[in-house]
Amino acid sequence: MLATSPRLRATVLRVAQAIPVVVGVVIISFLLTRALPGDPAVYFAGVAADTESIEQTRVAMGLDKPLLQQFFIYVGDLSRGDLGQSLSSGRSVAEDLAKRLPASLELTLSALLLAIAIAVPLGVLAATRPGTWVDHLCRVIVTAGVSLPTFFTGILLIYIFYYLLGVAPSPLGRLDFIYLDPDHVTGFYLIDAALMGDWETWRGAVRQLILPASTLALFTLAPIARMTRAAMLTALSSDFIRTARAAGLSSRTILYRYAFRNALLPVMTTLGMVFSFALGANVLVEKVFAWPGIGSYAVEALVVSDYAAVQGFVLSMALLFVALNLVIDLLYAAIDPRIGFSSK
Amino acid sequence: MTKVLSVRDLAVTFQTRRGTVDAVRGISFDLAKGEILGIVGESGSGKSVTSYALMRILDAGGVIKAGDATYSGTDLRRASERDMCDIRGREISMIFQNPRAALNPIRKVGHQIEDVLRQHARATRYDARAKAIAALEAVRINDAEARYNAYPFELSGGMCQRIVCAIALACDPRLLIADEPTTGLDITTQKAVMDLVRDLIRERRMSSILITHDLGLAAQYCDRIMVMKDGMIVEQGDPLQIFSAPQHPYSRKLVDATPRAGETVRSLLPPGDRRKELVPAISDQPLLEVRNLTKTYAGKSGPVHAVKGISFAVNLGQCVGLVGESGCGKSTTSEILVRLMDATSGQVIFDGEDIAQVPARSFAKDPRRADIQMVFQDATDSLNPRHTARQTIAEPLRRLGGIRGAKLTARIEELAALVGLPLPLLDRFSHQLSGGQKARVGIARAIALDPKFLILDEPTAALDVSIQAVVLNLLVDLRAKLGLSYLFVSHDLHVVRLLCDHVIVMKDGEIVEQGAAADVMSQPKSDYTKSLLAAAPKPPERR
């Protein structure tokens, strides 16, 4: 492909760089699951199995073949979109993931949006008014956010809002049993319910989502707010802000068009990292709120050495990270004109 | 004479962690219509703070404590913030040093000009583009239409300064404050920018304040000069008078320290300190010989020829000046000579042996490492902030000299005495030292192992002139005392003239001229050398 502009070429190059990463991810997810302790054949053959039936299970699972051959079978299956059968749930892994991944993503994304909506304005306010109560509030929230573990804040929120005040619904999954699941379109209940025009279900889904999303948001908010504050302080003390002030630009223009857009660059980088933290923290939050997400699925699969399920989980998570980093990099390049020239 | 600006007893203080600092202590001056006033002073004199106070754009913690500043009947100290916003950019504008940092890095320069035009209602959404391009043309930018879409990082320093000028002048202000507008620019660019600014000021009949540390530059472009020290005006008058008969001891010191034609390095110092110059012994034998040196980098758009086959020699005891503008290859050359970089081809004969054969990576283990040392440009950045001066000087002694214990202490103290660094300062960290003291530490480190050859990479570029005068004299003394040979890399022709016996002028990786310093400076042969000499500020000669 002959890219005409350097920007376009840099973009294409960046997308192409994701390919070897994906290949590496496939190899590592395969090797990693094989390196796990425990013998799945023993587990799935059952408690009463003798050596012979274990061996039969092993052959049935294809685990007797050499590692390289197993890998090629795995890659062949992958190329057809077949992630294998989950031995614990009995369904195909692809099906399980398709059902559970949107649940996790819905939780993580709404938590992240909530965190951004609070943290970015808070950071900007703290930076423009250093030493005032806003700044101190920002510091308190940031400290609390990083020092309280998610399982603790989750339980605390349940205790206050469900048990003591009774304003929140019972923390049991994505939707109370009185509602029907919306038709599966995207798997995001909020979107699917809105598409159906079923606002009652939509409200029900929001009510379920608020507590776990807040728990996760509280955790992700801290680094975003801290980074926004620091980036804004750096931007505001730059020489070009002085030029803008000397040219008589209004404080609004200076704050948003000059300082904030420049501060956005480090904030964006932080956002990518925070998203990955959030996916990790998800596992605990899902457990506390009985959220039928991918995190709890993976933990269960791991306990029983369910190769295909663990492999599928690792692979989908890794692909998610690759995609996310790609998006962040491309966004960064869209904001910062220097990208694509800097390595000259 | 109509007054544009009138300042009375202006005092500015800064609230810092260590208490209140008086940056400006009651200064008074007037500025007439059409006048260009120069404010000259060294760092910390309060000259920039004065201008920020007039614009009311002081950094956090800064406040106008007393006094008045009146611009065309407006009280700048008491005007509302809204009124100040209208005054800034439309009535009073500013241009700054370090032009590339002074522009928003992620906004097209054309849009930055539009922002100002639209803020002051000089353009609508529909004609902003055309007016911005006109503003670019006003500062004589070629192909303004294309430059409109450029980002600051795509433009040269001189071009960026023109954009900053375009922003400042877009709304036809009546007063332009230029804060060190050419610091960090090449000498020919400096002249081009200063000439442009002066022409625009004269054309538009504006008044202007030029803030600079360079007395020579101020003398050339200003109608009147004001010398500031420690937040006070010590003297003001017309440039010729200040140069020929400075009244205040401090302005006398500044005038003395400004390098110019017909002076010696000793005459930069106050009269009391002018000891007799030691005469260095210069031999005919070359210590270092460079033959056909080339350096080619792999660039994105093909190879970059940084150095294109240069040859020269440095004799034992000689000081050779290497002059040129940014990108001429002088830094590459000095890095190859100090063996931090490998040449693409060519020979570097040092003491009869070709040291270009030894790769830069393993030269640290070479016994000749101690013989070739370097003094770096930025005295602050080239010192480890976590090391005391003592540790910094001890580093080469310990690593290369293997000196330990009492001998080490004795040698460090001997070196400190040699470079004039008071012993109690040895245990300070670099941020606790002044610029001149840091320069001394850097020099002590370089001469710690009795090198034969020193490469001085603009060692005084970041220093105030009075400190530059002291450091240059120190270098001259050390050369004579220790029998050193120097390669003095600089863009300041006056300094080179003072210090060097032989001068090499480089341009685009090639040597365009070389010869005895006095000859090259007085009868340059190449057009490039002539243009460099013409661009250098010419302070009036002392009578």
Side-chain angles (χ1 to χ4, degrees):
Chain A
M1 192 190 308
L2 271 175
T4 41
S5 85
R7 284 294 282 287
L8 189 63
R9 193 179 314 150
T11 310
V12 171
L13 208 71
R14 179 61 191 85
V15 175
Q17 275 170 3
I19 295 168
V21 180
V22 171
V23 172
V25 160
V26 170
I27 296 173
I28 289 174
S29 72
F30 174 80
L31 288 179
L32 213 59
T33 40
R34 292 303 182 277
L36 286 177
D39 187 343
V42 175
Y43 183 85
F44 284 102
V47 212
D50 52 11
T51 326
E52 198 177 324
S53 60
I54 289 179
E55 207 49 48
Q56 276 172 355
T57 321
R58 200 187 300 280
V59 173
M61 292 170 81
L63 293 175
D64 58 328
K65 299 193 178 73
L67 208 58
L68 199 65
Q69 197 181 343
Q70 286 186 43
F71 179 69
F72 283 120
I73 294 171
Y74 172 60
V75 172
D77 287 346
L78 263 190
S79 61
R80 285 189 302 277
D82 180 6
L83 290 170
Q85 289 286 316
S86 164
L87 296 171
S88 45
S89 76
R91 284 185 299 269
S92 84
V93 173
E95 202 179 310
D96 274 349
L97 288 179
K99 207 164 133 244
R100 283 169 167 264
L101 192 59
S104 285
L105 280 181
E106 185 169 41
L107 175 60
T108 313
L109 287 177
S110 35
L112 213 55
L113 284 179
L114 188 67
I116 294 171
I118 297 170
V120 170
L122 190 68
V124 171
L125 279 175
T128 46
R129 294 167 182 74
T132 61
W133 65 269
V134 191
D135 196 14
H136 294 306
L137 178 75
C138 180
R139 197 165 299 141
V140 169
I141 292 178
V142 163
T143 314
V146 288
S147 51
L148 297 175
T150 44
F151 59 84
F152 175 74
T153 37
I155 291 169
L156 187 72
L157 289 180
I158 292 173
Y159 179 71
I160 296 173
F161 292 100
Y162 171 63
Y163 181 75
L164 285 186
L165 300 177
V167 288
S170 56
L172 292 170
R174 301 178 77 183
L175 212 48
D176 208 337
F177 62 88
I178 54 166
Y179 302 104
L180 287 173
D181 288 1
D183 296 343
H184 185 98
V185 183
T186 58
F188 289 69
Y189 278 10
L190 292 183
I191 296 175
D192 288 353
L195 285 177
M196 283 171 69
D198 183 355
W199 296 106
E200 188 127 354
T201 308
W202 191 82
R203 266 193 296 278
V206 169
R207 276 161 59 86
Q208 290 294 128
L209 189 61
I210 285 177
L211 283 194
S214 307
T215 307
L216 208 49
L218 211 60
F219 170 73
T220 50
L221 194 144
I224 303 175
R226 181 181 292 182
M227 199 62 214
T228 310
R229 179 178 179 274
M232 272 307 274
L233 281 176
T234 314
L236 282 170
S237 61
S238 311
D239 283 359
F240 62 84
I241 295 294
R242 199 173 52 201
T243 314
R245 286 173 71 193
L249 297 187
S250 67
S251 49
R252 248 182 92 90
T253 314
I254 291 173
L255 196 60
Y256 294 104
R257 199 176 293 167
Y258 281 70
F260 185 62
R261 282 201 200 165
N262 275 284
L264 218 52
L265 300 171
V267 171
M268 197 114 80
T269 313
T270 315
L271 224 53
M273 283 192 299
V274 164
F275 189 81
S276 52
F277 296 159
L279 280 176
N282 232 343
V283 176
L284 291 169
V285 179
E286 284 176 11
K287 276 283 171 203
V288 170
F289 288 91
W291 198 261
I294 196 174
S296 41
Y297 177 73
V299 172
E300 282 154 27
L302 204 59
V303 170
V304 300
S305 301
D306 188 350
Y307 271 13
V310 173
Q311 240 165 231
F313 168 76
V314 172
L315 190 66
S316 51
M317 275 315 209
L319 289 181
L320 208 61
F321 280 144
V322 172
L324 179 79
N325 276 311
L326 187 65
V327 168
I328 297 260
D329 276 9
L330 292 181
L331 272 179
Y332 205 103
I335 298 181
D336 192 340
R338 289 163 292 189
I339 301 288
F341 299 91
S342 53
S343 54
K344 220 174 219 175
Chain B
M1 186 175 92
T2 40
K3 273 190 256 174
V4 175
L5 180 75
S6 165
V7 175
R8 287 288 165 271
D9 303 317
L10 186 75
V12 180
T13 60
F14 278 89
Q15 210 69 47
T16 68
R17 238 181 264 175
R18 288 190 199 152
T20 322
V21 175
D22 295 311
V24 177
R25 314 166 185 224
I27 61 166
S28 305
F29 64 92
D30 293 317
L31 183 66
K33 193 164 187 298
E35 187 183 28
I36 303 180
L37 170 69
I39 303 185
V40 180
E42 298 186 298
S43 46
S45 61
K47 57 192 193 301
S48 292
V49 173
T50 305
S51 62
Y52 298 160
L54 295 178
M55 296 285 275
R56 288 248 308 267
I57 53 169
L58 287 165
D59 290 335
V63 61
I64 301 177
K65 207 180 68 180
D68 287 297
T70 317
Y71 166 81
S72 300
T74 312
D75 184 343
L76 293 177
R77 188 182 166 195
R78 290 173 190 86
S80 70
E81 185 54 33
R82 179 185 292 252
D83 290 342
M84 282 312 294
C85 261
D86 288 340
I87 289 173
R88 291 181 204 129
R90 200 169 71 189
E91 297 290 332
I92 311 176
S93 279
M94 255 185 111
I95 56 179
F96 299 91
Q97 60 175 318
N98 196 358
R100 191 166 287 144
L103 292 169
N104 188 345
I106 58 170
R107 198 162 168 76
K108 287 179 180 171
V109 295
H111 291 170
Q112 298 191 41
I113 299 173
E114 277 182 16
D115 287 340
V116 181
L117 285 168
R118 296 196 52 195
Q119 176 75 38
H120 296 296
R122 290 298 172 101
T124 62
R125 198 187 317 162
Y126 307 103
D127 61 0
R129 191 189 152 87
K131 286 192 176 166
I133 290 173
L136 287 172
E137 276 161 357
V139 291
R140 296 176 207 158
I141 286 180
N142 295 329
D143 202 5
E145 194 106 16
R147 294 284 175 248
Y148 174 93
N149 285 316
Y151 289 98
F153 74 96
E154 298 169 314
L155 303 173
S156 69
M159 192 70 93
C160 281
Q161 192 57 289
R162 282 167 198 260
I163 307 277
V164 175
C165 287
I167 290 176
L169 298 176
C171 297
D172 275 319
R174 307 311 312 149
L175 169 59
L176 178 73
I177 303 176
D179 183 10
E180 305 263 8
T182 56
T183 306
L185 297 181
D186 274 328
I187 200 151
T188 48
T189 317
Q190 162 168 312
K191 183 171 164 56
V193 168
M194 281 315 298
D195 286 352
L196 170 75
V197 169
R198 183 186 49 196
D199 291 353
L200 289 171
I201 290 169
R202 296 290 190 225
E203 256 168 45
R204 302 180 183 208
R205 302 192 180 169
M206 296 159 64
S207 311
S208 180
I209 298 176
L210 171 67
I211 295 165
T212 177
H213 65 279
D214 187 340
L215 200 50
L217 189 77
Q220 194 169 353
Y221 289 96
C222 300
D223 305 318
R224 188 158 58 98
I225 288 181
M226 216 164 82
V227 180
M228 274 185 84
K229 180 180 192 286
D230 298 333
M232 284 181 288
I233 299 171
V234 296
E235 184 166 355
Q236 51 180 314
D238 78 275
L240 211 60
Q241 177 208 326
I242 288 203
F243 259 89
S244 51
Q247 299 300 306
H248 192 275
Y250 178 72
S251 24
R252 171 168 292 280
K253 189 174 156 195
L254 265 191
V255 169
D256 282 342
T258 304
R260 68 201 116 126
E263 303 282 326
T264 65
V265 68
R266 281 291 192 253
S267 65
L268 297 177
L269 296 172
D273 298 344
R274 294 180 194 161
R275 282 167 290 109
K276 205 174 162 320
E277 222 174 304
L278 305 167
V279 183
I282 304 173
S283 113
D284 294 338
Q285 292 304 309
L287 172 71
L288 178 102
E289 235 183 301
V290 175
R291 290 183 196 153
N292 265 326
L293 191 72
T294 67
K295 177 73 192 179
T296 309
Y297 297 101
K300 254 191 175 171
S301 44
V304 178
H305 302 282
V307 178
K308 304 174 189 168
I310 58 169
S311 306
F312 64 90
V314 179
N315 288 350
L316 206 62
Q318 202 179 28
C319 177
V320 174
L322 183 57
V323 182
E325 298 191 295
S326 50
C328 74
K330 61 183 195 294
S331 298
T332 308
T333 306
S334 56
E335 267 189 62
I336 293 172
L337 294 191
V338 83
R339 302 305 302 127
L340 291 174
M341 188 193 281
D342 283 317
T344 307
S345 71
Q347 291 173 303
V348 180
I349 314 280
F350 181 76
D351 247 355
E353 286 170 76
D354 184 7
I355 55 167
Q357 298 299 325
V358 185
R361 218 178 341 156
S362 51
F363 197 75
K365 296 188 197 77
D366 195 285
R368 288 163 299 191
R369 172 73 285 173
D371 290 341
I372 305 173
Q373 291 288 315
M374 187 160 181
V375 178
F376 298 92
Q377 179 169 13
D378 192 319
T380 310
D381 283 352
S382 59
L383 295 181
N384 185 337
R386 301 253 178 272
H387 277 186
T388 60
R390 185 186 297 278
Q391 286 169 312
T392 304
I393 302 171
E395 190 93 4
L397 290 170
R398 229 197 300 249
R399 303 239 170 178
L400 294 173
I403 303 170
R404 300 271 190 284
K407 269 176 85 183
L408 182 68
T409 314
R411 176 65 181 151
I412 291 171
E413 286 174 4
E414 185 191 347
L415 284 165
L418 204 54
V419 298
L421 187 72
L423 291 185
L425 298 186
L426 274 176
D427 292 307
R428 289 202 188 172
F429 292 97
S430 66
H431 69 268
Q432 297 166 313
L433 298 171
S434 72
Q437 288 159 353
K438 279 184 275 197
R440 286 174 204 267
V441 174
I443 294 169
R445 173 175 61 182
I447 62 168
L449 291 163
D450 284 324
K452 294 176 183 162
F453 181 53
L454 265 194
I455 292 173
L456 308 160
D457 182 14
E458 309 224 18
T460 59
L463 300 177
D464 282 328
V465 279
S466 61
I467 296 162
Q468 164 174 291
V470 178
V471 172
L472 290 179
N473 274 284
L474 171 67
L475 289 170
V476 167
D477 291 347
L478 287 175
R479 174 185 160 209
K481 265 189 219 164
L482 306 175
L484 294 166
S485 310
Y486 288 164
L487 181 73
F488 190 90
V489 181
S490 181
H491 67 276
D492 190 332
L493 295 157
H494 292 303
V495 171
V496 169
R497 187 204 309 256
L498 289 176
L499 228 65
C500 301
D501 317 304
H502 190 86
V503 178
I504 299 166
V505 182
M506 274 186 84
K507 182 177 193 264
D508 298 333
E510 284 165 342
I511 294 179
V512 292
E513 182 164 4
Q514 60 173 316
D519 296 345
V520 174
M521 292 295 174
S522 50
Q523 290 122 22
K525 288 188 188 68
S526 84
D527 290 341
Y528 181 65
T529 315
K530 282 177 197 160
S531 73
L532 276 186
L533 283 167
K538 277 175 257 330
E541 284 189 32
R542 206 197 310 251
R543 289 183 195 158

